[in-house]
Amino acid sequence: QVQLVESGGGLVQAGGSLRLSCAASGSIFRINVMGWYRQAPGKQRELVAAIINGGVTNYADSVKGRFTISRDNAKNTVVLQMNSLKPEDTAVYYCNAGLIVTTTYRHLEVWGQGTLVTVSS
């Protein structure tokens, strides 16, 4: 019905940068919010950054000033630019979207499959 496809994970040295992209496709009427979460081994999944309609953003304190989230509403995509990466940023990063589907006009929360980001020291 609705699918999120992520790309851009990989291995990078501390201090480096990575760019994650996520594209939503399917029976989408409107996307209300898109964001990125991450889950490190042995830890709970946590919000990294989110962006809602109108461009309002929210960041975890641990990534403020280093990560930037942006969204292309026309293409239903969201990008997370990650700079000054630290080993503690190592995790599986998941794209998330809160949206309205065209089939039922009901709200749906969708997750991507996850992409691994590894930051070496």
Side-chain angles (χ1 to χ4, degrees):
Q1 192 176 15
V2 177
Q3 186 178 19
L4 300 182
V5 177
E6 302 142 337
S7 61
L11 173 65
V12 65
Q13 287 188 334
S17 298
L18 280 176
R19 183 181 174 92
L20 304 182
S21 296
C22 173
S25 62
S27 304
I28 300 170
F29 174 70
R30 184 181 69 239
I31 299 178
N32 293 324
V33 58
M34 294 191 82
W36 291 91
Y37 288 71
R38 67 186 180 187
Q39 187 166 19
K43 294 188 177 181
Q44 289 188 331
R45 191 173 297 190
E46 62 176 0
L47 174 69
V48 177
I51 183 167
I52 64 173
N53 288 339
V56 176
T57 57
N58 182 35
Y59 294 93
D61 288 342
S62 59
V63 306
K64 284 180 180 177
R66 300 188 297 122
F67 292 10
T68 302
I69 189 169
S70 60
R71 181 175 159 185
D72 186 331
N73 292 328
K75 297 181 179 180
N76 288 337
T77 58
V78 64
V79 171
L80 185 68
Q81 178 66 43
M82 305 185 294
N83 299 328
S84 302
L85 282 161
K86 304 175 181 180
E88 50 264 44
D89 293 318
T90 295
V92 177
Y93 284 70
Y94 296 91
C95 182
N96 173 271
L99 49 86
I100 307 294
V101 295
T102 58
T103 50
T104 62
Y105 292 98
R106 298 182 71 171
H107 183 269
L108 189 67
E109 185 176 24
V110 185
W111 292 89
Q113 79 282 1
T115 185
L116 178 63
V117 171
T118 304
V119 184
S120 63
S121 57

